[in-house]
């Protein structure tokens, strides 16, 4: 009989991207980089987010790149976003190009690629804040932080982050993937050991208990991480999070009592399987 822990491990493995999943996205990088460098000027372009951190979810995660632009930072990030969007649309005339703050999304026929324009600042980067204005981010330091906590727990942090993101995607929860990843890493940073069902429950519960409040950058470097782009989205996310916490708790408790089938049924509900 399959245990709840085995079921969760199998699900996580199923949604772990292969090493070649993002090859198509990477194939578009050179054209994007060349266009922006010629017409706007760039300092560097590098991978960020799930692709870089190793927490991507098969069939759901996009390839994300940060582009550090040359020149003077404008007063409004919308100026920056509009310029980058216009250049990418001019280069890829038959490709839908949309704004999904803080990114410009190129919806290629074979994949989506998210380009996050930025200006270098304070050893990090200023990017557009979905709630307005600029926000300071340190993606390279964030990656180092997540990797360090993950290494300390023998790879468990990235598995747990993938599970929480899978819940977001499968249940259509309007919450930031970056926020989920950093909340997960922050939770595990304070733990001495990893217990799959217990830590899945605790990660969700801690976010519920904070009402999805913005969190301090755990590296102490950048702006606070916001969970949702609007209050309406936060309320919707909280409703789904309350349900998720209840199901994760039941799954944990049923498994502890030896009722593996009942635990798995709760996990199926949690992940809409």
């Amino acid at each position: 009989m399959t245990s709840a822990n085995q079921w969760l491990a199998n699900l996580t493995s199923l949604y772990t991207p292969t090493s070649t999943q993002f090859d198509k996205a990477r194939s578009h990088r050179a054209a994007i980089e060349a266009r922006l460098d010629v017409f706007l000027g760039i300092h560097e372009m590098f991978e960020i987010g799930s692709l870089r951190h190793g927490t991507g979810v098969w069939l759901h995660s996009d390839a994300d790149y940060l582009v550090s632009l040359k020149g003077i930072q404008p007063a409004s990030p919308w100026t920056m976003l509009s310029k980058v969007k216009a250049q990418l649309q001019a280069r890829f005339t038959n490709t839908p190009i949309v704004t999904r703050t803080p990114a410009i999304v190129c919806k290629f026929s074979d994949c989506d690629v998210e380009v996050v324009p930025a200006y270098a600042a304070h050893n990090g980067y200023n990017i557009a804040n979905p709630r307005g204005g600029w926000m300071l981010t340190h993606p390279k330091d964030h990656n180092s932080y997540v990797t360090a906590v993950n290494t300390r727990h023998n790879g468990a942090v990235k598995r747990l982050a993938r599970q929480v993101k899978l819940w977001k995607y499968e249940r259509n929860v309007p919450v930031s993937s970056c926020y989920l990843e950093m909340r997960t890493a922050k939770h595990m940073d304070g733990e001495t050991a990893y217990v799959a069902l217990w830590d899945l429950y605790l990660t969700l519960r801690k976010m519920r208990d904070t009402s999805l409040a913005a969190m301090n950058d755990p590296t102490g470097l950048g702006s606070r991480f916001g969970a949702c782009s609007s209050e309406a989205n936060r309320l919707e996310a909280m409703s789904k999070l309350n349900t998720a916490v209840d199901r994760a708790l039941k799954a944990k408790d049923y498994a502890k009592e030896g009722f593996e089938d009942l635990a798995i049924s709760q996990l199926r509900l949690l992940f809409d399987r």
Side-chain angles (χ1 to χ4, degrees):
M1 181 181 71
T2 301
S3 70
N5 279 310
Q6 289 170 331
W7 188 93
L8 183 59
N10 290 340
L11 180 69
T12 308
S13 178
L14 175 64
Y15 279 92
T16 300
T18 65
S19 59
T20 61
Q21 182 180 337
F22 292 106
D23 284 353
K24 291 179 180 179
R26 290 189 175 105
S27 71
H28 296 290
R29 172 178 174 166
I32 292 171
E33 189 170 10
R35 178 74 188 194
L36 296 181
D37 192 27
V38 169
F39 289 90
L40 297 180
I42 66 174
H43 292 292
E44 60 178 334
M45 177 172 173
F46 57 92
E47 295 173 344
I48 59 173
S50 298
L51 173 61
R52 177 64 175 168
H53 289 194
T55 59
V57 179
W58 177 57
L59 297 179
H60 293 287
S61 295
D62 301 328
D64 304 288
Y65 294 93
L66 185 142
V67 178
S68 176
L69 299 173
K70 293 181 179 179
I72 300 174
Q73 179 179 309
S76 170
W78 296 107
T79 302
M80 170 189 68
L81 292 171
S82 296
K83 287 182 178 180
V84 171
K85 182 177 184 293
Q87 289 301 327
L88 293 177
Q89 191 65 81
R91 172 61 179 83
F92 306 107
T93 56
N94 296 320
T95 298
I97 309 290
V98 300
T99 302
R100 188 189 300 158
T101 311
I104 303 299
V105 184
C106 302
K107 303 182 77 65
F108 296 109
S109 60
D110 54 357
C111 66
D112 287 356
V113 177
E114 294 197 6
V115 178
V116 179
Y119 285 92
H122 308 291
N123 296 317
Y125 303 89
N126 278 332
I127 63 175
N129 188 329
R131 287 183 174 266
W134 296 93
M135 61 183 293
L136 181 63
T137 185
H138 292 76
K140 295 176 182 177
D141 297 283
H142 297 155
N143 180 45
S144 296
Y145 171 75
V146 173
T147 298
V149 181
N150 185 63
T151 299
R152 199 161 72 244
H153 288 284
N154 299 312
V157 174
K158 293 185 179 183
R159 292 197 300 274
L160 180 57
R162 181 171 289 114
Q163 291 160 11
V164 177
K165 289 182 182 182
L166 181 59
W167 161 73
K168 159 198 162 71
Y169 291 124
E170 293 299 300
R171 284 298 180 181
N172 297 310
V173 186
V175 63
S176 162
S177 293
C178 181
Y179 179 87
L180 296 178
E181 181 169 316
M182 298 311 291
R183 278 288 187 193
T184 301
K186 180 64 175 176
H187 160 67
M188 290 304 301
D189 196 15
E191 299 296 309
T192 58
Y194 169 72
V195 181
L197 295 178
W198 177 250
D199 285 304
L200 176 60
Y201 161 66
L202 281 181
T203 300
L204 294 169
R205 194 193 74 183
K206 286 181 178 179
M207 288 190 288
R208 190 273 313 275
D209 290 348
T210 64
S211 298
L212 290 174
M215 67 175 290
N216 292 330
D217 183 341
T219 67
L221 296 172
S223 302
R224 286 162 63 83
F225 289 93
C228 304
S229 59
S230 69
E231 178 61 12
N233 281 347
R234 190 191 69 82
L235 292 175
E236 179 184 348
M238 279 299 300
S239 175
K240 294 181 176 182
L241 182 56
N242 282 325
T243 301
V245 171
D246 181 62
R247 289 168 174 167
L249 174 61
K250 289 179 179 177
K252 174 185 73 70
D253 288 346
Y254 279 138
K256 182 179 180 180
E257 295 167 6
F259 301 119
E260 298 291 350
D261 286 344
L262 290 176
I264 291 172
S265 70
Q266 290 300 315
L267 291 175
R268 288 186 182 277
L269 289 171
L270 175 63
F271 294 106
D272 194 23
R273 307 299 296 170

